[in-house]
Amino acid sequence: MLDLAFSTEDLAHTRFAFSPAWEIVASVRVLNQPGEHALHLPWVKRATAALDEAGLDIGLLRDLVPLRHLPGFLAGTPATPLPELADELADLRDVPARVVRRELDAMAGPRTPALNRFHRDPEAGLERLATLMERYWDLVLAPDWPRIRALLEADVLHRSRLLAQGGAAELFNDLTPMVRWQGGTLTVAHRHLHAAVPLDGRGLVLVPSAFVWPRVFSKTDPRWQPVLRYPPRGIATLWETGTAAAPGALAAVVGRGRAMLLAELSAPASTTELARRTRLSAGAVSQHLGVLKAAGLVSGHRAGRHVLYARTRAAEVLVAGVPEVDC
């Protein structure tokens, strides 16, 4: 159990961010233990095939991602809300040698030959690691990144609305059942950690992560701003490919396509993501959203380079209140 003690200053410095570098680290953990991450098995099969076909040896990455203690330099705290992988890898290449050695020394168990080589020459090791992470990303994560990023952006939009509506308590208590807020303390249900850590004005970076599911990860090392990585809302739908069903009675009123989109917008989503889920064309989705927006049933919110659409209160009432009947 980890207790994070917040002050007013900490709340003021709490923010959201994504981290492509962290998704690399977390996804390697999924490959190391696929049986514990059944939800990601469709991705595991594709990723394994892509790595085998390319002949890419990710042994160094696997060695650096053990069951428990992860070296802190692998994925530092994101400095911006939407960092590019290239920027995070540049930071990785600049990690001081003494930090690398200290983190490797802290890992449990005997070091593999690859880690011994890394320990002897951290500068060359960091270059090898950054290059490997870049190739790994291109092969197994870049093709799915638009889908993953849309899920993460939708989660941040939802959390931001909760914060505006109900403050920190509503935000934190909705993150995951493994996290609870009470009396200015955020309790994280870690299985192998028991500590109380004051944030001391550093705040907390909340990082939604697709591959962290079904757990949460935290980092409170004083060398980095504290981080909490948690599964985003809608994670169970990430690899779905089926066609969404439209509520029958609602379809009779607004049309099948628009009813389908309203049903899918239980969490905010982009036009591209809605087209993928519903198998409607992007043009059709855009047209339907325009009509729904004009009718006050959806609203658009810019998130980085994308616009995420969400149901309005009127649409929530409409979707919840229409019974299922045959059309």
Side-chain angles (χ1 to χ4, degrees):
M1 207 67 80
L2 172 65
D3 289 331
L4 299 175
F6 279 72
S7 64
T8 304
E9 187 75 8
D10 291 311
L11 287 174
H13 288 96
T14 294
R15 59 187 175 89
F16 288 97
F18 305 155
S19 174
W22 167 257
E23 294 301 334
I24 291 174
V25 173
S27 69
V28 170
R29 195 170 182 281
V30 170
L31 291 179
N32 284 347
Q33 295 180 293
E36 293 190 9
H37 303 86
L39 184 146
H40 293 303
L41 287 181
W43 174 85
V44 169
K45 293 177 181 178
R46 294 200 307 273
T48 301
L51 292 170
D52 288 345
E53 184 178 353
L56 182 62
D57 180 4
I58 62 168
L60 177 59
L61 266 174
R62 289 185 184 273
D63 290 347
L64 285 166
V65 183
L67 297 182
R68 295 186 190 175
H69 178 82
L70 296 173
F73 64 81
L74 267 182
T77 301
T80 63
L82 303 170
E84 296 292 336
L85 177 62
D87 296 330
E88 292 193 294
L89 293 183
D91 291 340
L92 176 66
R93 288 181 169 98
D94 288 339
V95 174
R98 67 180 184 281
V99 174
V100 172
R101 290 195 175 102
R102 183 165 58 228
E103 292 290 312
L104 293 178
D105 288 340
M107 294 178 67
R111 282 200 294 265
T112 64
L115 293 185
N116 277 327
R117 184 184 177 196
F118 200 168
H119 193 278
R120 287 195 301 271
D121 189 349
E123 185 175 341
L126 288 170
E127 182 58 41
R128 284 194 302 274
L129 176 61
T131 300
L132 175 59
M133 290 174 72
E134 192 170 37
R135 290 191 62 198
Y136 176 91
W137 173 270
D138 290 341
L139 276 174
V140 302
L141 287 181
D144 291 313
W145 182 239
R147 173 189 301 197
I148 295 170
R149 177 168 172 155
L151 184 73
L152 303 183
E153 288 176 336
D155 182 85
V156 170
L157 176 60
H158 171 75
R159 308 293 175 197
S160 300
R161 292 167 72 179
L162 287 181
L163 180 62
Q165 293 167 5
E170 188 161 351
L171 165 66
F172 288 127
N173 284 326
D174 187 71
L175 282 178
T176 164
M178 290 173 281
V179 173
R180 280 292 171 265
W181 171 268
Q182 186 173 13
T185 296
L186 190 67
T187 299
V188 185
H190 286 309
R191 288 181 291 180
H192 304 291
L193 175 65
H194 300 277
V197 178
L199 295 179
D200 293 330
R202 296 174 295 161
L204 184 67
V205 182
L206 298 170
V207 179
S209 167
F211 289 99
V212 78
W213 182 92
R215 297 176 59 188
V216 294
F217 278 77
S218 61
K219 181 164 66 175
T220 58
D221 190 303
R223 290 168 292 180
W224 293 277
Q225 186 178 7
V227 178
L228 179 67
R229 296 174 169 116
Y230 65 92
R233 290 177 80 243
I235 185 65
T237 68
L238 181 58
W239 309 119
E240 286 183 356
T241 57
T243 303
L250 184 57
V253 177
V254 301
R256 179 177 175 275
R258 291 164 196 163
M260 194 185 305
L261 292 174
L262 287 175
E264 283 293 339
L265 286 173
S266 56
S270 66
T271 300
T272 302
E273 178 63 14
L274 289 169
R276 182 190 69 79
R277 291 188 205 164
T278 61
R279 297 186 180 177
L280 297 171
S281 69
V285 170
S286 182
Q287 184 178 25
H288 286 322
L289 289 173
V291 173
L292 292 170
K293 187 175 181 182
L297 295 177
V298 302
S299 56
H301 309 267
R302 179 158 292 281
R305 294 171 291 179
H306 306 282
V307 175
L308 299 180
Y309 293 89
R311 293 194 301 228
T312 62
R313 289 182 180 274
E316 295 286 359
V317 172
L318 186 63
V319 172
V322 177
E324 279 296 315
V325 297
D326 292 334
C327 290

